[in-house]
C-alpha cells in the first residue's frame, strides 16, 4: 500500500516569508496529490491538488510541485500571512484503484509570526 | 446547502457504553470515510465505504462498526467505549476523483 512521509513536522516563519512543506510517497501508481489545511478546532479543507499529468499548479500564493521520478511533491506558500497558520496535510492516492489507498502524511504545523 | 453533517458535536460518556456517531451528507457522494484524529495530529482511517451495502476496515482497528444502508448516511458505532477511544472522529465523503470533504467532527470523551 501507499506510504506518505511529510516534513517538517513543525515550521515557523516570519510574516511575508515563504514556507515549503515536502512529502514523499512510495506507490508509483499514485496519481492524485491533494493538500489539506486544518485550522485550530476546524475541519480539514482542500486547498490545492495536483494530478500526475502536470508538474506544477498555482493558485494565488499557493503552489504545488510534483516530481514523479523522485516520488515527491511540495507545497509552497509565498508572502505568508498570520492566517496561514494551521496544520497542513499532504495525501496521495490512485484515482483508478478500487481500493481506498488515499493516505495522509502526518501533518506540518505552520506558524506565521507577525 | 450541500454539506456533510456530524452529530453530536461533543459527547462525554462512561466506560462500557454503546454509542453511535452520526454522519450524513447531502452532496450525492458515493464514497464515505471515518477518520480518528487527536487535535492537530495525523488522520487515521477507521472505516470506509464505496456505496450502499459496502463497508471496509481501515488501518486503525478501533473496535467499531459501520453501516451503509442509505447513500447519504454512514453511522459509526462503538459497542463498548473505553478511555482509549477518547479522540476526535471525522467523517468525510468524496466522488471518485478523491477530493475529500470533511464534516465538523465529533469530539468524544470516555471517562
Amino acid at each position: 500500500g501507499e506510504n506518505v512521509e511529510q516534513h517538517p513536522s513543525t515550521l515557523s516563519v516570519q510574516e511575508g516569508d515563504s514556507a515549503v512543506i515536502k512529502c514523499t510517497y512510495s506507490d508509483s501508481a499514485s496519481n492524485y496529490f491533494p493538500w489539506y489545511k486544518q485550522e485550530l478546532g476546524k475541519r480539514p479543507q482542500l486547498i490545492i491538488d495536483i494530478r500526475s499529468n502536470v508538474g506544477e499548479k498555482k493558485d494565488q500564493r499557493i503552489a504545488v510541485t510534483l516530481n514523479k521520478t523522485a516520488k515527491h511533491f511540495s507545497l509552497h506558500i509565498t508572502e505568508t500571512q498570520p492566517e496561514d497558520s494551521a496544520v497542513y496535510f499532504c495525501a496521495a492516492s490512485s484515482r483508478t484503484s478500487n481500493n481506498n489507498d488515499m493516505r495522509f502524511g502526518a501533518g506540518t504545523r505552520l506558524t506565521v509570526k507577525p | 446547502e450541500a454539506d456533510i453533517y456530524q452529530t453530536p458535536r461533543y459527547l462525554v460518556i462512561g466506560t462500557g457504553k454503546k454509542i453511535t456517531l452520526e454522519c450524513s451528507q447531502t452532496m450525492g457522494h458515493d464514497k464515505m470515510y471515518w477518520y480518528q484524529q487527536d487535535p492537530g495530529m495525523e488522520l487515521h482511517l477507521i472505516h470506509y465505504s464505496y456505496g450502499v451495502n459496502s463497508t471496509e476496515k481501515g488501518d486503525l482497528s478501533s473496535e467499531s462498526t459501520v453501516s451503509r444502508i442509505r447513500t447519504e448516511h454512514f453511522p459509526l458505532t462503538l459497542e463498548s467505549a473505553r478511555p482509549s477511544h477518547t479522540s476526535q472522529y471525522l467523517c468525510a465523503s468524496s466522488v471518485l476523483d478523491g477530493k475529500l470533504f470533511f464534516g465538523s467532527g465529533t469530539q468524544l470523551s470516555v471517562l
Side-chain angles (χ1 to χ4, degrees):
Chain A
E2 178 63 274
N3 182 48
V4 179
E5 294 191 357
Q6 183 171 347
H7 301 279
S9 57
T10 60
L11 179 60
S12 181
V13 300
Q14 223 37 58
E15 183 178 359
D17 287 349
S18 295
V20 180
I21 303 170
K22 299 181 179 181
C23 289
T24 61
Y25 62 98
S26 61
D27 189 351
S28 56
S30 290
N31 55 12
Y32 175 64
F33 308 93
W35 286 88
Y36 290 83
K37 175 183 180 183
Q38 187 177 28
E39 296 178 44
L40 186 63
K42 297 190 176 180
R43 69 181 89 179
Q45 291 196 310
L46 181 74
I47 55 170
I48 195 167
D49 57 8
I50 191 169
R51 301 193 186 277
S52 58
N53 57 344
V54 297
E56 183 175 359
K57 184 176 179 180
K58 193 172 181 179
D59 182 4
Q60 299 182 339
R61 297 186 297 107
I62 294 173
V64 57
T65 58
L66 171 65
N67 183 326
K68 287 177 60 180
T69 303
K71 295 202 194 86
H72 66 70
F73 55 112
S74 300
L75 178 72
H76 304 254
I77 306 174
T78 58
E79 300 173 23
T80 54
Q81 301 167 2
E83 52 264 39
D84 294 329
S85 295
V87 179
Y88 291 81
F89 294 95
C90 64
S93 77
S94 171
R95 180 182 181 185
T96 58
S97 171
N98 199 32
N99 296 316
N100 183 79
D101 57 357
M102 172 78 81
R103 291 293 184 267
F104 284 86
T108 296
R109 184 177 300 277
L110 173 65
T111 302
V112 180
K113 299 177 181 177
Chain B
E1 180 180 343
D3 205 345
I4 180 164
Y5 303 94
Q6 288 187 243
T7 57
R9 186 72 179 89
Y10 301 95
L11 181 61
V12 181
I13 60 168
T15 297
K17 298 292 186 183
K18 177 180 178 179
I19 59 167
T20 296
L21 308 184
E22 300 289 345
C23 177
S24 294
Q25 50 98 1
T26 56
M27 308 182 85
H29 291 166
D30 287 324
K31 295 174 74 172
M32 296 189 74
Y33 312 79
W34 276 102
Y35 288 90
Q36 184 177 335
Q37 184 192 35
D38 291 326
M41 304 298 285
E42 190 168 357
L43 290 149
H44 297 283
L45 180 66
I46 311 170
H47 295 279
Y48 58 99
S49 166
Y50 284 100
V52 172
N53 295 325
S54 153
T55 62
E56 301 288 342
K57 282 188 176 292
D59 299 328
L60 186 66
S61 173
S62 65
E63 298 159 345
S64 58
T65 59
V66 291
S67 62
R68 191 86 183 276
I69 299 172
R70 303 197 317 266
T71 300
E72 61 273 18
H73 194 214
F74 191 43
L76 174 75
T77 298
L78 286 174
E79 294 293 333
S80 180
R82 298 202 307 267
S84 61
H85 292 138
T86 294
S87 188
Q88 177 174 237
Y89 292 82
L90 286 166
C91 182
S93 69
S94 75
V95 293
L96 289 178
D97 71 357
K99 293 181 184 179
L100 293 183
F101 293 85
F102 287 89
S104 296
T106 293
Q107 182 61 51
L108 174 65
S109 296
V110 183
L111 305 178

PDB file of all heavy atoms in Angstrom, chain A residues 1 5 12 20 22 26 28 37 39 50 56 58-59 62 67 70 72-73 81 87 91-92 95 99-100 108-110 114:
ATOM      1  N   GLY A   1       0.815  -1.203   0.000  1.00  0.00           N
ATOM      2  CA  GLY A   1       0.000   0.000   0.000  1.00  0.00           C
ATOM      3  C   GLY A   1       0.846   1.248   0.000  1.00  0.00           C
ATOM      4  O   GLY A   1       2.061   1.213   0.144  1.00  0.00           O
ATOM      5  N   GLU A   5       5.245  10.237   3.597  1.00  0.00           N
ATOM      6  CA  GLU A   5       6.024  10.881   4.650  1.00  0.00           C
ATOM      7  C   GLU A   5       6.047  12.391   4.399  1.00  0.00           C
ATOM      8  O   GLU A   5       6.203  12.832   3.257  1.00  0.00           O
ATOM      9  CB  GLU A   5       7.437  10.312   4.688  1.00  0.00           C
ATOM     10  CG  GLU A   5       7.470   8.843   5.095  1.00  0.00           C
ATOM     11  CD  GLU A   5       8.869   8.352   5.389  1.00  0.00           C
ATOM     12  OE1 GLU A   5       9.829   9.130   5.218  1.00  0.00           O
ATOM     13  OE2 GLU A   5       9.018   7.175   5.780  1.00  0.00           O
ATOM     14  N   SER A  12       8.117  27.330  11.458  1.00  0.00           N
ATOM     15  CA  SER A  12       7.816  28.679  11.918  1.00  0.00           C
ATOM     16  C   SER A  12       8.499  29.671  10.982  1.00  0.00           C
ATOM     17  O   SER A  12       9.704  29.556  10.734  1.00  0.00           O
ATOM     18  CB  SER A  12       8.315  28.868  13.356  1.00  0.00           C
ATOM     19  OG  SER A  12       8.002  30.164  13.829  1.00  0.00           O
ATOM     20  N   VAL A  20       7.764  26.139   2.788  1.00  0.00           N
ATOM     21  CA  VAL A  20       7.776  24.974   1.915  1.00  0.00           C
ATOM     22  C   VAL A  20       7.593  23.714   2.756  1.00  0.00           C
ATOM     23  O   VAL A  20       8.297  23.523   3.754  1.00  0.00           O
ATOM     24  CB  VAL A  20       9.086  24.865   1.111  1.00  0.00           C
ATOM     25  CG1 VAL A  20       9.034  23.626   0.207  1.00  0.00           C
ATOM     26  CG2 VAL A  20       9.317  26.116   0.290  1.00  0.00           C
ATOM     27  N   LYS A  22       7.307  19.447   2.360  1.00  0.00           N
ATOM     28  CA  LYS A  22       7.634  18.394   1.405  1.00  0.00           C
ATOM     29  C   LYS A  22       7.031  17.051   1.802  1.00  0.00           C
ATOM     30  O   LYS A  22       6.984  16.715   2.985  1.00  0.00           O
ATOM     31  CB  LYS A  22       9.145  18.267   1.279  1.00  0.00           C
ATOM     32  CG  LYS A  22       9.814  19.539   0.776  1.00  0.00           C
ATOM     33  CD  LYS A  22      11.311  19.369   0.630  1.00  0.00           C
ATOM     34  CE  LYS A  22      11.933  20.664   0.094  1.00  0.00           C
ATOM     35  NZ  LYS A  22      13.405  20.540  -0.080  1.00  0.00           N
ATOM     36  N   SER A  26       5.326   6.343  -1.789  1.00  0.00           N
ATOM     37  CA  SER A  26       6.021   5.100  -2.128  1.00  0.00           C
ATOM     38  C   SER A  26       5.439   4.388  -3.346  1.00  0.00           C
ATOM     39  O   SER A  26       6.167   3.665  -4.041  1.00  0.00           O
ATOM     40  CB  SER A  26       5.996   4.148  -0.924  1.00  0.00           C
ATOM     41  OG  SER A  26       4.651   3.835  -0.581  1.00  0.00           O
ATOM     42  N   SER A  28       4.230   3.994  -6.963  1.00  0.00           N
ATOM     43  CA  SER A  28       4.377   4.656  -8.261  1.00  0.00           C
ATOM     44  C   SER A  28       3.048   4.763  -9.015  1.00  0.00           C
ATOM     45  O   SER A  28       2.943   5.514  -9.979  1.00  0.00           O
ATOM     46  CB  SER A  28       5.398   3.905  -9.126  1.00  0.00           C
ATOM     47  OG  SER A  28       5.009   2.549  -9.269  1.00  0.00           O
ATOM     48  N   LYS A  37      -5.701  21.930   4.557  1.00  0.00           N
ATOM     49  CA  LYS A  37      -5.354  22.864   5.631  1.00  0.00           C
ATOM     50  C   LYS A  37      -6.364  22.694   6.758  1.00  0.00           C
ATOM     51  O   LYS A  37      -7.574  22.664   6.506  1.00  0.00           O
ATOM     52  CB  LYS A  37      -5.422  24.306   5.108  1.00  0.00           C
ATOM     53  CG  LYS A  37      -5.197  25.389   6.157  1.00  0.00           C
ATOM     54  CD  LYS A  37      -5.368  26.772   5.541  1.00  0.00           C
ATOM     55  CE  LYS A  37      -5.156  27.878   6.560  1.00  0.00           C
ATOM     56  NZ  LYS A  37      -5.392  29.223   5.972  1.00  0.00           N
ATOM     57  N   GLU A  39      -7.297  24.453  10.289  1.00  0.00           N
ATOM     58  CA  GLU A  39      -7.129  25.473  11.317  1.00  0.00           C
ATOM     59  C   GLU A  39      -7.578  24.914  12.658  1.00  0.00           C
ATOM     60  O   GLU A  39      -8.335  23.929  12.709  1.00  0.00           O
ATOM     61  CB  GLU A  39      -7.930  26.721  10.937  1.00  0.00           C
ATOM     62  CG  GLU A  39      -7.423  27.371   9.657  1.00  0.00           C
ATOM     63  CD  GLU A  39      -8.243  28.574   9.238  1.00  0.00           C
ATOM     64  OE1 GLU A  39      -8.575  29.405  10.103  1.00  0.00           O
ATOM     65  OE2 GLU A  39      -8.563  28.679   8.053  1.00  0.00           O
ATOM     66  N   ILE A  50      -3.051  18.275  -7.171  1.00  0.00           N
ATOM     67  CA  ILE A  50      -2.362  18.128  -8.445  1.00  0.00           C
ATOM     68  C   ILE A  50      -2.469  16.687  -8.883  1.00  0.00           C
ATOM     69  O   ILE A  50      -2.468  15.772  -8.054  1.00  0.00           O
ATOM     70  CB  ILE A  50      -0.881  18.592  -8.336  1.00  0.00           C
ATOM     71  CG1 ILE A  50      -0.242  18.689  -9.724  1.00  0.00           C
ATOM     72  CG2 ILE A  50      -0.078  17.669  -7.421  1.00  0.00           C
ATOM     73  CD1 ILE A  50       1.104  19.398  -9.704  1.00  0.00           C
ATOM     74  N   GLU A  56       3.333  21.185 -12.055  1.00  0.00           N
ATOM     75  CA  GLU A  56       3.182  22.309 -11.141  1.00  0.00           C
ATOM     76  C   GLU A  56       1.783  22.902 -11.305  1.00  0.00           C
ATOM     77  O   GLU A  56       1.222  22.926 -12.396  1.00  0.00           O
ATOM     78  CB  GLU A  56       4.241  23.377 -11.421  1.00  0.00           C
ATOM     79  CG  GLU A  56       4.198  24.551 -10.456  1.00  0.00           C
ATOM     80  CD  GLU A  56       5.332  25.553 -10.661  1.00  0.00           C
ATOM     81  OE1 GLU A  56       6.164  25.314 -11.564  1.00  0.00           O
ATOM     82  OE2 GLU A  56       5.382  26.549  -9.929  1.00  0.00           O
ATOM     83  N   LYS A  58      -0.573  26.328  -9.626  1.00  0.00           N
ATOM     84  CA  LYS A  58      -0.505  27.508  -8.780  1.00  0.00           C
ATOM     85  C   LYS A  58      -1.891  28.108  -8.594  1.00  0.00           C
ATOM     86  O   LYS A  58      -2.708  28.124  -9.512  1.00  0.00           O
ATOM     87  CB  LYS A  58       0.434  28.548  -9.410  1.00  0.00           C
ATOM     88  CG  LYS A  58       0.834  29.675  -8.492  1.00  0.00           C
ATOM     89  CD  LYS A  58       1.902  30.541  -9.128  1.00  0.00           C
ATOM     90  CE  LYS A  58       2.324  31.667  -8.188  1.00  0.00           C
ATOM     91  NZ  LYS A  58       3.386  32.509  -8.787  1.00  0.00           N
ATOM     92  N   ASP A  59      -2.143  28.599  -7.386  1.00  0.00           N
ATOM     93  CA  ASP A  59      -3.394  29.289  -7.077  1.00  0.00           C
ATOM     94  C   ASP A  59      -3.070  30.440  -6.145  1.00  0.00           C
ATOM     95  O   ASP A  59      -2.914  30.252  -4.935  1.00  0.00           O
ATOM     96  CB  ASP A  59      -4.394  28.328  -6.434  1.00  0.00           C
ATOM     97  CG  ASP A  59      -5.736  28.997  -6.150  1.00  0.00           C
ATOM     98  OD1 ASP A  59      -5.924  30.174  -6.504  1.00  0.00           O
ATOM     99  OD2 ASP A  59      -6.613  28.322  -5.569  1.00  0.00           O
ATOM    100  N   ILE A  62      -0.369  30.117  -3.343  1.00  0.00           N
ATOM    101  CA  ILE A  62      -0.099  28.707  -3.071  1.00  0.00           C
ATOM    102  C   ILE A  62       0.271  27.990  -4.363  1.00  0.00           C
ATOM    103  O   ILE A  62      -0.362  28.209  -5.405  1.00  0.00           O
ATOM    104  CB  ILE A  62      -1.338  28.035  -2.440  1.00  0.00           C
ATOM    105  CG1 ILE A  62      -1.602  28.631  -1.066  1.00  0.00           C
ATOM    106  CG2 ILE A  62      -1.157  26.535  -2.338  1.00  0.00           C
ATOM    107  CD1 ILE A  62      -2.900  28.153  -0.454  1.00  0.00           C
ATOM    108  N   ASN A  67       7.269  15.828  -8.538  1.00  0.00           N
ATOM    109  CA  ASN A  67       8.364  15.155  -9.231  1.00  0.00           C
ATOM    110  C   ASN A  67       8.057  13.662  -9.202  1.00  0.00           C
ATOM    111  O   ASN A  67       8.290  12.984  -8.202  1.00  0.00           O
ATOM    112  CB  ASN A  67       9.710  15.458  -8.543  1.00  0.00           C
ATOM    113  CG  ASN A  67      10.885  14.848  -9.276  1.00  0.00           C
ATOM    114  OD1 ASN A  67      10.800  13.765  -9.871  1.00  0.00           O
ATOM    115  ND2 ASN A  67      12.014  15.526  -9.249  1.00  0.00           N
ATOM    116  N   ALA A  70      11.123  11.146  -8.725  1.00  0.00           N
ATOM    117  CA  ALA A  70      11.628  11.061  -7.350  1.00  0.00           C
ATOM    118  C   ALA A  70      10.528  10.726  -6.360  1.00  0.00           C
ATOM    119  O   ALA A  70      10.815  10.522  -5.181  1.00  0.00           O
ATOM    120  CB  ALA A  70      12.301  12.375  -6.967  1.00  0.00           C
ATOM    121  N   HIS A  72       8.152  12.687  -5.121  1.00  0.00           N
ATOM    122  CA  HIS A  72       7.905  13.664  -4.071  1.00  0.00           C
ATOM    123  C   HIS A  72       7.164  14.863  -4.610  1.00  0.00           C
ATOM    124  O   HIS A  72       7.202  15.151  -5.809  1.00  0.00           O
ATOM    125  CB  HIS A  72       9.179  14.049  -3.314  1.00  0.00           C
ATOM    126  CG  HIS A  72      10.211  14.785  -4.099  1.00  0.00           C
ATOM    127  ND1 HIS A  72      10.051  16.090  -4.541  1.00  0.00           N
ATOM    128  CD2 HIS A  72      11.445  14.416  -4.489  1.00  0.00           C
ATOM    129  CE1 HIS A  72      11.142  16.460  -5.174  1.00  0.00           C
ATOM    130  NE2 HIS A  72      11.998  15.480  -5.159  1.00  0.00           N
ATOM    131  N   PHE A  73       6.423  15.524  -3.733  1.00  0.00           N
ATOM    132  CA  PHE A  73       5.669  16.708  -4.093  1.00  0.00           C
ATOM    133  C   PHE A  73       5.732  17.694  -2.931  1.00  0.00           C
ATOM    134  O   PHE A  73       5.946  17.306  -1.789  1.00  0.00           O
ATOM    135  CB  PHE A  73       4.217  16.360  -4.466  1.00  0.00           C
ATOM    136  CG  PHE A  73       3.435  15.601  -3.444  1.00  0.00           C
ATOM    137  CD1 PHE A  73       2.370  16.195  -2.792  1.00  0.00           C
ATOM    138  CD2 PHE A  73       3.720  14.268  -3.140  1.00  0.00           C
ATOM    139  CE1 PHE A  73       1.625  15.491  -1.853  1.00  0.00           C
ATOM    140  CE2 PHE A  73       2.985  13.566  -2.207  1.00  0.00           C
ATOM    141  CZ  PHE A  73       1.930  14.180  -1.558  1.00  0.00           C
ATOM    142  N   GLN A  81       1.018  34.940   5.627  1.00  0.00           N
ATOM    143  CA  GLN A  81       0.254  35.832   6.493  1.00  0.00           C
ATOM    144  C   GLN A  81      -0.131  35.064   7.754  1.00  0.00           C
ATOM    145  O   GLN A  81      -0.187  33.829   7.732  1.00  0.00           O
ATOM    146  CB  GLN A  81      -0.995  36.309   5.743  1.00  0.00           C
ATOM    147  CG  GLN A  81      -0.679  37.043   4.446  1.00  0.00           C
ATOM    148  CD  GLN A  81      -1.900  37.232   3.560  1.00  0.00           C
ATOM    149  OE1 GLN A  81      -3.011  36.849   3.904  1.00  0.00           O
ATOM    150  NE2 GLN A  81      -1.683  37.829   2.404  1.00  0.00           N
ATOM    151  N   VAL A  87      -2.406  23.538  10.514  1.00  0.00           N
ATOM    152  CA  VAL A  87      -1.739  22.262  10.230  1.00  0.00           C
ATOM    153  C   VAL A  87      -2.057  21.883   8.783  1.00  0.00           C
ATOM    154  O   VAL A  87      -3.226  21.929   8.368  1.00  0.00           O
ATOM    155  CB  VAL A  87      -2.197  21.151  11.187  1.00  0.00           C
ATOM    156  CG1 VAL A  87      -1.492  19.836  10.850  1.00  0.00           C
ATOM    157  CG2 VAL A  87      -1.906  21.542  12.635  1.00  0.00           C
ATOM    158  N   ALA A  91      -1.463  14.275   0.923  1.00  0.00           N
ATOM    159  CA  ALA A  91      -2.036  12.945   0.742  1.00  0.00           C
ATOM    160  C   ALA A  91      -1.719  12.463  -0.673  1.00  0.00           C
ATOM    161  O   ALA A  91      -1.387  13.257  -1.559  1.00  0.00           O
ATOM    162  CB  ALA A  91      -3.540  12.947   0.985  1.00  0.00           C
ATOM    163  N   ALA A  92      -1.820  11.153  -0.857  1.00  0.00           N
ATOM    164  CA  ALA A  92      -1.572  10.557  -2.168  1.00  0.00           C
ATOM    165  C   ALA A  92      -2.548   9.413  -2.385  1.00  0.00           C
ATOM    166  O   ALA A  92      -2.868   8.678  -1.451  1.00  0.00           O
ATOM    167  CB  ALA A  92      -0.136  10.049  -2.266  1.00  0.00           C
ATOM    168  N   ARG A  95      -6.277   7.293  -8.445  1.00  0.00           N
ATOM    169  CA  ARG A  95      -7.657   7.570  -8.859  1.00  0.00           C
ATOM    170  C   ARG A  95      -8.324   6.342  -9.448  1.00  0.00           C
ATOM    171  O   ARG A  95      -9.516   6.148  -9.307  1.00  0.00           O
ATOM    172  CB  ARG A  95      -7.646   8.677  -9.904  1.00  0.00           C
ATOM    173  CG  ARG A  95      -9.013   9.060 -10.426  1.00  0.00           C
ATOM    174  CD  ARG A  95      -8.867  10.120 -11.486  1.00  0.00           C
ATOM    175  NE  ARG A  95     -10.137  10.547 -12.017  1.00  0.00           N
ATOM    176  CZ  ARG A  95     -10.266  11.392 -13.019  1.00  0.00           C
ATOM    177  NH1 ARG A  95      -9.200  11.901 -13.578  1.00  0.00           N
ATOM    178  NH2 ARG A  95     -11.440  11.736 -13.452  1.00  0.00           N
ATOM    179  N   ASN A  99      -9.469   0.228  -4.459  1.00  0.00           N
ATOM    180  CA  ASN A  99      -9.216   0.150  -3.025  1.00  0.00           C
ATOM    181  C   ASN A  99      -8.988   1.547  -2.485  1.00  0.00           C
ATOM    182  O   ASN A  99      -8.475   2.416  -3.184  1.00  0.00           O
ATOM    183  CB  ASN A  99      -7.975  -0.705  -2.748  1.00  0.00           C
ATOM    184  CG  ASN A  99      -8.178  -2.133  -3.166  1.00  0.00           C
ATOM    185  OD1 ASN A  99      -9.219  -2.718  -2.915  1.00  0.00           O
ATOM    186  ND2 ASN A  99      -7.182  -2.699  -3.822  1.00  0.00           N
ATOM    187  N   ASN A 100      -9.348   1.724  -1.193  1.00  0.00           N
ATOM    188  CA  ASN A 100      -9.116   3.044  -0.637  1.00  0.00           C
ATOM    189  C   ASN A 100      -7.659   3.178  -0.278  1.00  0.00           C
ATOM    190  O   ASN A 100      -7.245   2.726   0.771  1.00  0.00           O
ATOM    191  CB  ASN A 100      -9.973   3.285   0.600  1.00  0.00           C
ATOM    192  CG  ASN A 100      -9.758   4.683   1.119  1.00  0.00           C
ATOM    193  OD1 ASN A 100     -10.291   5.631   0.601  1.00  0.00           O
ATOM    194  ND2 ASN A 100      -8.930   4.825   2.140  1.00  0.00           N
ATOM    195  N   THR A 108       2.020  19.031   9.052  1.00  0.00           N
ATOM    196  CA  THR A 108       3.016  20.054   9.374  1.00  0.00           C
ATOM    197  C   THR A 108       2.306  21.212  10.043  1.00  0.00           C
ATOM    198  O   THR A 108       1.372  21.780   9.470  1.00  0.00           O
ATOM    199  CB  THR A 108       3.725  20.556   8.105  1.00  0.00           C
ATOM    200  OG1 THR A 108       4.455  19.500   7.505  1.00  0.00           O
ATOM    201  CG2 THR A 108       4.659  21.720   8.436  1.00  0.00           C
ATOM    202  N   ARG A 109       2.746  21.543  11.245  1.00  0.00           N
ATOM    203  CA  ARG A 109       2.149  22.683  11.948  1.00  0.00           C
ATOM    204  C   ARG A 109       2.920  23.936  11.556  1.00  0.00           C
ATOM    205  O   ARG A 109       4.080  24.106  11.928  1.00  0.00           O
ATOM    206  CB  ARG A 109       2.196  22.463  13.455  1.00  0.00           C
ATOM    207  CG  ARG A 109       1.499  23.567  14.256  1.00  0.00           C
ATOM    208  CD  ARG A 109       1.516  23.252  15.744  1.00  0.00           C
ATOM    209  NE  ARG A 109       0.828  21.997  16.025  1.00  0.00           N
ATOM    210  CZ  ARG A 109      -0.476  21.869  16.166  1.00  0.00           C
ATOM    211  NH1 ARG A 109      -1.262  22.924  16.064  1.00  0.00           N
ATOM    212  NH2 ARG A 109      -1.014  20.690  16.443  1.00  0.00           N
ATOM    213  N   LEU A 110       2.276  24.805  10.783  1.00  0.00           N
ATOM    214  CA  LEU A 110       2.894  26.045  10.324  1.00  0.00           C
ATOM    215  C   LEU A 110       2.464  27.206  11.212  1.00  0.00           C
ATOM    216  O   LEU A 110       1.270  27.414  11.447  1.00  0.00           O
ATOM    217  CB  LEU A 110       2.494  26.334   8.870  1.00  0.00           C
ATOM    218  CG  LEU A 110       2.932  27.686   8.298  1.00  0.00           C
ATOM    219  CD1 LEU A 110       4.454  27.775   8.221  1.00  0.00           C
ATOM    220  CD2 LEU A 110       2.316  27.930   6.929  1.00  0.00           C
ATOM    221  N   PRO A 114       3.738  37.395  13.250  1.00  0.00           N
ATOM    222  CA  PRO A 114       3.518  38.750  12.708  1.00  0.00           C
ATOM    223  C   PRO A 114       4.768  39.610  12.860  1.00  0.00           C
ATOM    224  O   PRO A 114       5.618  39.376  13.704  1.00  0.00           O
ATOM    225  CB  PRO A 114       2.368  39.299  13.535  1.00  0.00           C
ATOM    226  CG  PRO A 114       2.000  38.262  14.525  1.00  0.00           C
ATOM    227  CD  PRO A 114       2.938  37.097  14.417  1.00  0.00           C
TER     228      PRO A 114
END
